[in-house]
Amino acid sequence: MSKRLVIIPTYNEIENIERIIRNVFSQKHLFHILVVDDNSPDETAKKVNELQKEFKEKLHLEVRKNKSGLGTAYIHGFKWALQREYDYIFEMDADFSHNPNDLIRLYNACVKQKASVSIGSRYIKGVNVINWPMNRVLMSWFASKYVRAITRMDIQDTTAGFVCYHRKVLEKINLDSIQFIGYAFQIEMKFKAYLHKFKIVEVPVIFTDRTRGKSKLSSNIISEAVFGVIKMKLKSLIGKEV
């Protein structure tokens, strides 16, 4: 079996899901896929189930009863992966904002540079974002600067959602202690890897905003990130953030 698993959380991604699955499976390295679907009304899970007949033993599906947030979807996927023999576990969006062709580059950063975490970074070489309005670009860029200032992590793109974790990172982090379910989830995972002194490498990528389907970003998710980072840092100072 492949040692590489790509976790793709979905909610109403019927317009993208088949294309993204076929694109991942077209890569020169073998990746398995786990789709974690939050019972999408548009029947995303049904389409994945149909594709499983074609991609037997490579395409996996977990359907949850409710829309419970990005963070909990990834935690569900991480635990699923750790119960199996995957060594490299990837986070990737279904909407092509993350280019599947970059999966190999993230994998190589772990293998060749001995990183435990590799991040598909929008900001390691300037600002590499396509199709975002300027206000959103600035919000994301300043958010990463804000997180760096609070946490002291030497990571340019702290909010990135295109990430590869070696299984030892996910085994070390107490996944049940992860507090955030939205935007801040990505920050919290990186911060805990940083606290455990794992080697983190950023790989420059171009982020392209979705052209199909609707964004799930909300004001509540942004608020969680802004105030959650301070709380997270304070906990780390008193030894409760592990």
Side-chain angles (χ1 to χ4, degrees), residues 2 9 43-44 70 74 130 165 170 173-174 177 190 222 239 242:
S2 172
E43 298 188 332
T44 298
L70 179 74
Y74 275 127
I130 297 174
Y165 292 99
L170 302 181
I173 292 173
N174 180 2
S177 73
K190 296 178 185 68
I222 296 170
V242 292

Side-chain angles (χ1 to χ4, degrees), residues 25 32 38 130 141-142 155-156 179 209 213 224 230 234:
F25 286 145
H32 283 191
D38 278 1
I130 297 174
W141 187 80
F142 279 115
I155 298 173
Q156 297 294 325
Q179 297 179 351
D209 194 24
E224 177 191 64
I230 297 174
L234 290 174

Side-chain angles (χ1 to χ4, degrees), residues 6 8 18-33 92-93 96 99-101 103:
V6 180
I8 304 177
E18 181 172 359
R19 289 195 310 133
I20 198 74
I21 287 170
R22 292 190 181 280
N23 205 307
V24 171
F25 286 145
S26 73
Q27 300 302 312
K28 67 178 182 180
H29 287 337
L30 174 61
F31 293 89
H32 283 191
I33 297 174
M92 192 175 75
D93 291 346
F96 283 91
N99 188 338
N101 296 337
L103 286 167

Side-chain angles (χ1 to χ4, degrees), residues 113-171:
Q113 299 182 52
K114 307 299 182 183
S116 298
V117 181
S118 61
I119 300 169
S121 177
R122 296 163 291 186
Y123 307 129
I124 193 68
K125 289 187 176 180
V127 178
N128 293 309
V129 177
I130 297 174
N131 291 340
W132 264 7
M134 184 55 66
N135 64 332
R136 190 167 177 187
V137 173
L138 291 174
M139 180 183 70
S140 176
W141 187 80
F142 279 115
S144 281
K145 291 292 185 182
Y146 166 76
V147 173
R148 289 186 70 199
I150 299 294
T151 64
R152 313 308 297 172
M153 290 191 291
D154 187 20
I155 298 173
Q156 297 294 325
D157 194 351
T158 56
T159 62
F162 194 18
V163 186
C164 175
Y165 292 99
H166 192 281
R167 73 175 290 125
K168 65 186 177 184
V169 179
L170 302 181
E171 289 172 336

Side-chain angles (χ1 to χ4, degrees), residues 194-212:
Y194 163 79
L195 291 178
H196 284 297
K197 302 186 185 305
F198 286 110
K199 183 178 180 179
I200 301 172
V201 170
E202 290 185 86
V203 177
V205 299
I206 296 175
F207 178 96
T208 304
D209 194 24
R210 66 164 65 237
T211 58
R212 300 183 183 186

